[in-house]
Amino acid sequence: MEGLSAVLESLPYIISGIPVTLGLVALSLLVGLALGVPMGVATVYGNRVIVKIIQVFVFILRGLPNLVLLFLFYFGIFPLLGWNLSSFTIGVITLGLRSAAYQTEIFRGAILSLGEGQMLAALSVGMSRNQAIWNIILPQALRLALPGWSNEYPILLTDSSVTYAIGVAEILTRGGQMVTRTYQPMPIYLTCALIFIFLNWGGMQIIQWGEKKTYIPGLGRKM
Amino acid sequence: MGRKEDLYPGFRKENVNSMNTTKATPILVVENIYKAYGKTEILKGVSFTVNKGETKVIIGPSGAGKSTLLKCINQLIIPDKGRVFLNGEEVLHSHSQINRFRQKIGMVFQNFYLFDHITALENVEVALLKVKKMKRPEAREKALKELARVGMKDKAHLYPAELSGGQAQRVSIARALAMDPEVMLFDEPTSALDPELTGEVLEVMKDLAKEGVTMVVVTHEMGFASSVADEVIFMEEGKILESGPPIQIFFHPQEERTKKFLSRISELYGELNRNG
C-alpha cells in the first residue's frame, strides 16, 4: 500500500495548510463584505457617477479569470508600484476584490427586493436617507442576502486553490509538493479533495446556524 | 347587500371645525402644485387649505393624481412647481430642512410599509429613538400609548408578517401618530385590505377625527367620507374639479364628471359585494 503510506506521510503537512486556506477564505470574504455592502447600497441609492464607477468595477472583476487577475497583481501591478506584498496578501486581495464584485450584486439584489416602500416609510417619519439605510434597509437586506451570500463561501473555498500558482502554502500547494516527493498523485489529490469537501460542509453548518439565528417571521425561511 | 343605504350613513350634523368657523387656523396650505413625469402631467395646479382639526377627503378616479399630491405634501415626491406651507412655514425639500417637516406630517400608506424586521412596538419606537432621540424607556412608553390608541397594544410584540392587514395598518397609523404630527395624510389606507378588515381601520380613523386630529384622506370609502369629512375634494386629471361639504358633493354635485364618478363608485361597490 504505497498510496496509503504516502497519504499518511503527507497528511500532517497537508493539514497544516488548512489554516492557510481558511485564512484566505475568511479574509477574502471579509474584504468582499466590507466593499460589497457599501457598493451594493451605493448602486441602489448613490448618484449616477458612483453607480457607473461601481458597474465598471463589477464588470471588470467578474470578467477576469481568477488566475489572470492573480498574475496581473503578482507579476505586474504590485511590483510596478514597488509594493513588496506576500503571496498570501496578494491572494487575499485578488479573491477579496472578485468576491466584492459578486457580493455587490448580491446586496444590490437584496435591497431591490425590499421594494421602495421601506425607504418611503422611513423618510416619512423623518429619518434621513442614511438613517433609513442603516436602521431599516440594511438589517432587512442583509438577512435576505444570506442565502445568496452563502454561495460565496464554497466559491471562495474552491477558488482559493488558484493561489497555488503563486506559491501560497495552502492545501493544494502542499498536496502538489507531496506528490512530487512521493509520486502518488491519485491518493494525495483525493486526500486534498476530501479536505475541501469537509471544509465546505463545516462552513455550510456555520452559515445555516447563522441563518437560523437571524430568522425573523416574514424575512427569510424557517429551517 | 344593503350597501346603497350604507353609502351615506350619518352625515355630520355639526361641522365642528368647518370652514365657516371664525377661529379656523390653517395648518396646511397647498399652493398651486404641479408635477409631471416627462410629458405626462400628473398634477396641474392643485391648491387647498386644511384647518386645524379638519378632515379633508380627496376622492377621484385612479390616475387623478391623488397619491402623487399626498407625496408632494411631504416631499417624498418633489413638486415641479408650487409650495406647501405647514403652520405658516414653507416646507422645503433641502436635506437640512425636510426631515424636520416630515416628522410633523404623518403618512399612512396603502400597503402599510411597516418595517418588516422589527416588532409592532419597535416599528412605532424606532423613529422616536433615532429621529427624536428619546431615551428608550420614554420612547417605549410613548409607543405603547400610541399602540393602545389604535387598539394594538396586546399585539405589540408581533412582527409585521404575523399581523393581519387591518392590524398592520393600525400599527402604521400608530407609527405616524407617535411623532405628534400636525397633520396626518392617509393614502388609500383601506384599499389593500380585505373588505371585512376595512372596518377596524376606518373606526380608528373616525376616532382620530373625533379627537381633533387634522387629516387629509385619499379614499374610495364613500361611507367614511360622508360621515367624517368636513370637506370632500373631487380630483380628476391632476386638478380639483370641485369641493365642498359631503352633503353637497354626494347629493348635489355641480360637475357632470363628479356625478359620473360617484355613480361608477357605487356600482363598483355593489359589484364587489356581489362577488364577495
Side-chain angles (χ1 to χ4, degrees):
Chain A
M1 291 303 286
E2 281 167 37
L4 185 65
S5 67
V7 167
L8 288 176
E9 187 196 335
S10 318
L11 207 51
Y13 184 66
I14 296 177
I15 282 178
S16 56
I18 291 179
V20 180
T21 293
L22 288 182
L24 268 175
V25 173
L27 289 174
S28 308
L29 272 176
L30 278 179
V31 169
L33 190 67
L35 294 174
V37 171
M39 288 200 297
V41 169
T43 50
V44 179
Y45 297 113
N47 69 40
R48 220 182 292 168
V49 180
I50 292 173
V51 172
K52 202 78 221 165
I53 291 170
I54 294 172
Q55 279 173 345
V56 170
F57 170 85
V58 169
F59 176 76
I60 292 173
L61 270 283
R62 290 202 305 188
L64 286 178
N66 258 322
L67 205 51
V68 174
L69 192 63
L70 197 65
F71 284 162
L72 278 177
F73 279 140
Y74 187 76
F75 295 112
I77 292 166
F78 289 125
L80 273 177
L81 289 171
W83 295 5
N84 194 11
L85 301 178
S86 71
S87 306
F88 181 83
T89 309
I90 291 176
V92 167
I93 292 171
T94 306
L95 295 170
L97 286 181
R98 259 176 65 85
S99 185
Y102 284 100
Q103 291 192 40
T104 298
E105 293 297 291
I106 290 171
F107 292 117
R108 184 173 76 96
I111 293 168
L112 289 178
S113 73
L114 291 178
E116 61 162 6
Q118 295 291 317
M119 179 54 100
L120 285 181
L123 293 177
S124 81
V125 289
M127 284 192 200
S128 68
R129 210 158 239 270
N130 287 341
Q131 281 178 321
I133 289 169
W134 196 248
N135 295 297
I136 306 299
I137 303 296
L138 278 181
Q140 296 183 57
L142 293 182
R143 281 187 174 86
L144 290 176
L146 209 51
W149 192 83
S150 64
N151 267 336
E152 281 300 297
Y153 174 73
I155 289 172
L156 279 174
L157 179 64
T158 47
D159 280 358
S160 71
S161 60
V162 300
T163 58
Y164 163 80
I166 57 169
V168 177
E170 48 73 65
I171 294 164
L172 185 67
T173 309
R174 286 163 186 262
Q177 287 165 353
M178 290 317 286
V179 168
T180 47
R181 199 143 104 197
T182 60
Y183 301 106
Q184 292 290 336
M186 188 62 187
I188 286 177
Y189 285 133
L190 207 54
T191 304
C192 293
L194 288 174
I195 292 174
F196 276 113
I197 295 268
F198 171 74
L199 292 179
N200 192 17
W201 176 82
M204 284 334 240
Q205 299 308 305
I206 294 173
I207 288 166
Q208 278 175 15
W209 173 83
E211 251 181 275
K212 245 183 252 173
K213 271 277 163 200
T214 55
Y215 172 78
I216 274 175
L219 278 180
R221 69 204 148 125
K222 202 165 199 162
M223 284 181 296
Chain B
M1 297 284 291
R3 187 72 198 203
K4 280 251 157 101
E5 291 87 322
D6 292 349
L7 209 52
Y8 313 114
F11 275 97
R12 278 181 95 163
K13 303 272 162 16
E14 0 87 87
N15 273 352
V16 186
N17 295 292
S18 77
M19 300 144 295
N20 44 28
T21 330
T22 41
K23 293 182 289 195
T25 33
I27 289 274
L28 182 71
V29 178
V30 174
E31 214 178 77
N32 208 22
I33 298 283
Y34 281 82
K35 180 71 194 179
Y37 291 109
K39 289 210 162 145
T40 321
E41 287 183 287
I42 309 290
L43 296 172
K44 306 170 192 167
V46 178
S47 306
F48 64 93
T49 301
V50 187
N51 292 322
K52 194 171 173 58
E54 242 184 355
T55 299
K56 290 245 155 148
V57 170
I58 304 176
I59 60 170
S62 72
K66 307 179 299 283
S67 290
T68 307
L69 175 62
L70 282 196
K71 292 200 177 90
C72 280
I73 292 175
N74 67 355
Q75 313 281 318
L76 286 178
I77 294 173
I78 313 289
D80 298 333
K81 218 168 92 183
R83 301 193 294 179
V84 177
F85 295 89
L86 186 71
N87 255 338
E89 215 184 331
E90 185 172 359
V91 176
L92 301 166
H93 65 260
S94 69
H95 275 302
S96 54
Q97 296 289 322
I98 188 57
N99 300 328
R100 183 165 64 87
F101 285 109
R102 285 192 183 131
Q103 289 177 54
K104 298 261 158 229
I105 306 174
M107 188 156 208
V108 173
F109 300 89
Q110 182 176 348
N111 297 310
F112 337 132
Y113 296 151
L114 286 182
F115 306 132
D116 289 321
H117 63 302
I118 48 183
T119 63
L121 178 64
E122 290 164 328
N123 261 276
V124 183
E125 213 178 38
V126 64
L128 296 174
L129 295 170
K130 305 293 175 189
V131 179
K132 288 209 161 172
K133 312 281 183 202
M134 274 188 188
K135 294 270 175 295
R136 191 170 284 276
E138 195 189 344
R140 181 136 299 190
E141 195 185 324
K142 170 83 171 152
L144 284 168
K145 202 184 101 202
E146 297 300 341
L147 283 172
R149 201 168 166 192
V150 298
M152 286 296 294
K153 196 176 174 182
D154 55 329
K155 300 264 194 295
H157 58 286
L158 293 182
Y159 285 97
E162 299 169 316
L163 300 173
S164 74
Q167 292 170 338
Q169 191 60 295
R170 285 188 281 151
V171 172
S172 93
I173 292 173
R175 175 176 68 183
L177 286 173
M179 304 304 282
D180 295 324
E182 305 272 359
V183 56
M184 288 279 288
L185 310 178
F186 291 84
D187 187 5
E188 300 201 31
T190 58
S191 295
L193 299 177
D194 290 336
E196 75 263 30
L197 299 177
T198 58
E200 61 185 72
V201 173
L202 294 177
E203 274 313 309
V204 166
M205 291 168 62
K206 277 179 196 166
D207 289 345
L208 295 180
K210 268 187 219 142
E211 289 169 31
V213 175
T214 312
M215 310 201 284
V216 180
V217 184
V218 171
T219 186
H220 293 299
E221 293 288 334
M222 297 304 151
F224 173 83
S226 63
S227 62
V228 179
D230 295 289
E231 189 185 42
V232 177
I233 294 173
F234 176 69
M235 267 184 83
E236 196 176 63
E237 290 173 357
K239 281 186 194 145
I240 294 179
L241 236 62
E242 72 176 298
S243 62
I247 199 150
Q248 180 198 318
I249 298 292
F250 290 127
F251 288 139
H252 313 288
Q254 307 295 306
E255 298 284 333
E256 202 47 46
R257 284 191 280 182
T258 316
K259 283 178 203 165
K260 257 198 192 138
F261 170 75
L262 288 170
S263 75
R264 262 211 318 272
I265 278 285
S266 57
E267 235 173 71
L268 179 72
Y269 271 70
E271 234 163 67
L272 279 177
N273 279 338
R274 266 202 299 285
N275 297 337

